[in-house]
Amino acid sequence: MAITASMVKELRDSTGAGMMDAKKALTETNGDMEAAVDWLRTKGLAKAAKKSGRTAAEGLVAVVVEGNKGVAVEVNSETDFVGKNAEFQEMVSGIAKTAVNAADVDALLAADMGGKTVAETLTDKIATIGENMAVRRMASLEGETVVSYVHNAATAGMGKIGVLVAMNGGDEAIGKQIAMHIAAVNPAALSEAELDASVVEKEKQVQMDIAREFGKPEQVIEKMIVGRMKKFVAELTLLNQQFVVNPDLTVEEAAKEAGATITGFVRLEVGEGIEVEKEDFAAEVAKAAQG
């Protein structure tokens, strides 16, 4: 029996399954809609898809270093509780190891992980654990030496914040200290050259407007802005920040003293930038009572 687009749409609408899963279900059941629904339920795909609307803003960031390459991967769940689940942690660990050889998230989701793709593994876990999950983002880093650090670790190699630092020279000790600094301070870029030019220009305009509000003449404003912008750039860029371990030195100076040159960094924090819809306790109770 020919599987039409309208049949696939009908099955998707009734189960919430993905398009390819719906098409496969219909193919496997020779177009029998009821049997296709059962097929999806058996595979856990209908249940998984129905949860895809929930916000997954918790979870873990895992970091893995192999040779001169490191990778950080954020895998989200709906609740912090799942982040402490050993089954979830094992999956995240496997995904991070697989990510070492993946170019981006799409390639990672399509990559093999123990006989199934990462996407299929994720779908299976959504069905068994009962929460929406997602591989949200990944970032890789290469260098002469790559050091990793996890802040607020849930278990080895994964936690709420994952950091990678690439260096020429230096050793594990200074790399770890710099990674801890990055976790705490969250620099926007390595150096001024890597800062978003629009961010710098916006701040410059704000500072100029502030100075004008105080009635400063333009020639004075120009001189004032130079100092203010220097401070602004120093606060945002890793190399120019005061080192948390020794505030008398910048991070660049501390690295130099240890014989290291920092060439790059990655910092991923769970849920960063995700807007979570808040609901007051009374509303939650009322919703539960209605359910």
Side-chain angles (χ1 to χ4, degrees):
M1 180 178 179
I3 307 304
T4 65
S6 61
M7 291 169 66
V8 174
K9 183 179 185 302
E10 182 181 344
L11 184 58
R12 288 186 67 192
D13 290 345
S14 65
T15 64
M19 181 178 72
M20 296 307 294
D21 292 329
K23 186 174 180 180
K24 186 173 182 182
L26 287 163
T27 302
E28 292 288 332
T29 57
N30 198 30
D32 185 322
M33 195 64 66
E34 287 188 11
V37 171
D38 289 339
W39 188 92
L40 286 168
R41 290 184 64 193
T42 301
K43 300 294 183 182
L45 295 170
K47 181 179 178 182
K50 285 180 181 178
K51 294 177 182 297
S52 64
R54 297 191 200 159
T55 302
E58 295 291 342
L60 293 168
V61 171
V63 293
V64 173
V65 176
E66 290 186 7
N68 66 343
K69 182 177 182 180
V71 65
V73 181
E74 178 184 359
V75 183
N76 296 128
S77 60
E78 291 177 46
T79 65
D80 183 53
F81 180 76
V82 167
K84 298 169 184 173
N85 179 306
E87 189 180 346
F88 178 73
Q89 291 174 358
E90 184 181 358
M91 179 189 71
V92 173
S93 176
I95 290 173
K97 289 172 184 173
T98 305
V100 173
N101 298 311
D104 52 32
V105 171
D106 288 339
L108 174 58
L109 290 171
D112 177 75
M113 191 174 101
K116 293 183 178 181
T117 66
V118 169
E120 289 169 341
T121 301
L122 197 66
T123 298
D124 288 347
K125 281 292 181 286
I126 291 171
T128 57
I129 292 178
E131 280 197 12
N132 189 28
M133 300 172 196
V135 177
R136 183 183 175 212
R137 52 184 175 156
M138 63 170 278
S140 57
L141 193 65
E142 294 187 40
E144 184 179 294
T145 301
V146 178
V147 178
S148 66
Y149 169 71
V150 173
H151 182 69
N152 197 10
T155 188
M158 63 187 79
K160 291 299 182 183
I161 300 174
V163 177
L164 299 168
V165 180
M167 308 180 300
N168 292 330
D171 57 20
E172 184 86 12
I174 187 64
K176 192 73 73 176
Q177 288 184 342
I178 292 167
M180 291 171 71
H181 170 100
I182 293 165
V185 181
N186 193 13
L190 177 67
S191 63
E192 184 175 1
E194 294 184 15
L195 264 182
D196 186 334
S198 64
V199 171
V200 177
E201 183 57 33
K202 182 180 178 182
E203 179 63 20
K204 184 177 180 181
Q205 290 302 318
V206 168
Q207 292 296 336
M208 290 179 75
D209 290 343
I210 291 171
R212 288 187 183 114
E213 283 294 320
F214 283 91
K216 302 291 184 183
E218 289 298 314
Q219 61 270 30
V220 174
I221 290 174
E222 287 294 335
K223 292 178 181 177
M224 287 173 60
I225 295 307
V226 172
R228 290 183 183 182
M229 291 308 298
K230 186 176 180 181
K231 182 181 178 184
F232 174 74
V233 168
E235 289 174 348
L236 285 184
T237 53
L238 174 62
L239 297 180
N240 296 299
Q241 288 173 341
Q242 290 179 297
F243 193 29
V244 291
V245 178
N246 181 2
D248 292 334
L249 299 175
T250 64
V251 172
E252 185 174 31
E253 290 167 343
K256 189 175 180 181
E257 281 194 3
T261 301
I262 305 166
T263 58
F265 75 91
V266 164
R267 181 188 187 276
L268 294 188
E269 182 171 354
V270 171
E272 196 171 37
I274 298 177
E275 289 188 15
V276 181
E277 186 177 329
K278 299 293 183 182
E279 188 170 35
D280 63 62
F281 184 65
E284 286 185 27
V285 173
K287 183 183 285 186
Q290 290 171 0

